[in-house]
Amino acid sequence: MKHIKTGFKILVVMAMLTPPLWLGKGKKTPVPVEKKDDDADQGTASYYANKFEGRTTANGEVFDNDSMTAAHNSLPLGTFVKVTNLNNGRSVIVKITDRLAATNKRIIDLTQHAARILGFLEKGTTRVKVEEV
């Protein structure tokens, strides 16, 4: 009888730690990305709203709009990328620390600090090239 109780406890713990089968099975909206070469993607960039300040990002860091980080849906967390504003040629290097919403049509969301350096903070969005470094 004791081994049945132990087995049941193990089963309950395993069930609690195993994600439900339906997680991750939803269809994701494809992000429009223009491939120009093997190392760079082009598309639209935006920046984080103030409401995300202090929230935890996908990699566990606390979001800071004054940092040099970004959200991207396909690059591994921790990847450094060079983002170039195609309208003025300005570039920044940021670390991917977060994910975009599945419904977001942009290829990258930057901090407001990075957007300011790239020169599109007032406009809200811009066309960019994103390259791994």
Side-chain angles (χ1 to χ4, degrees):
M1 186 72 160
K2 184 177 180 182
H3 69 282
I4 293 174
K5 288 182 181 178
T6 303
F8 181 73
K9 288 179 185 176
I10 291 171
L11 183 63
V12 169
V13 170
M14 287 178 62
M16 290 172 41
L17 296 176
T18 305
L21 293 174
W22 53 266
L23 277 181
K25 291 203 179 210
K27 290 184 178 181
K28 288 190 175 183
T29 304
V31 176
V33 174
E34 301 168 21
K35 283 291 208 180
K36 295 297 181 189
D37 57 49
D38 290 339
D39 298 327
D41 292 335
Q42 292 186 11
T44 303
S46 58
Y47 58 85
Y48 281 88
N50 289 329
K51 70 180 184 178
F52 294 102
E53 187 73 29
R55 293 187 184 180
T56 303
T57 60
N59 75 345
E61 293 180 17
V62 174
F63 178 73
D64 178 5
N65 242 330
D66 292 324
S67 66
M68 295 295 284
T69 61
H72 193 282
N73 275 345
S74 61
L75 293 171
L77 296 174
T79 301
F80 285 89
V81 295
K82 178 181 177 183
V83 181
T84 303
N85 184 336
L86 295 175
N87 294 321
N88 61 21
R90 294 181 187 177
S91 296
V92 295
I93 294 178
V94 296
K95 181 173 131 181
I96 304 300
T97 60
D98 209 1
R99 297 296 182 209
L100 297 163
T103 57
N104 195 326
K105 304 289 186 211
R106 298 178 181 110
I107 64 167
I108 196 164
D109 271 357
L110 302 158
T111 59
Q112 289 182 21
H113 181 65
R116 188 176 300 107
I117 293 170
L118 289 174
F120 75 95
L121 190 63
E122 293 77 27
K123 186 177 175 190
T125 62
T126 193
R127 301 268 309 141
V128 295
K129 177 171 68 170
V130 178
E131 305 169 89
E132 284 188 61
V133 292

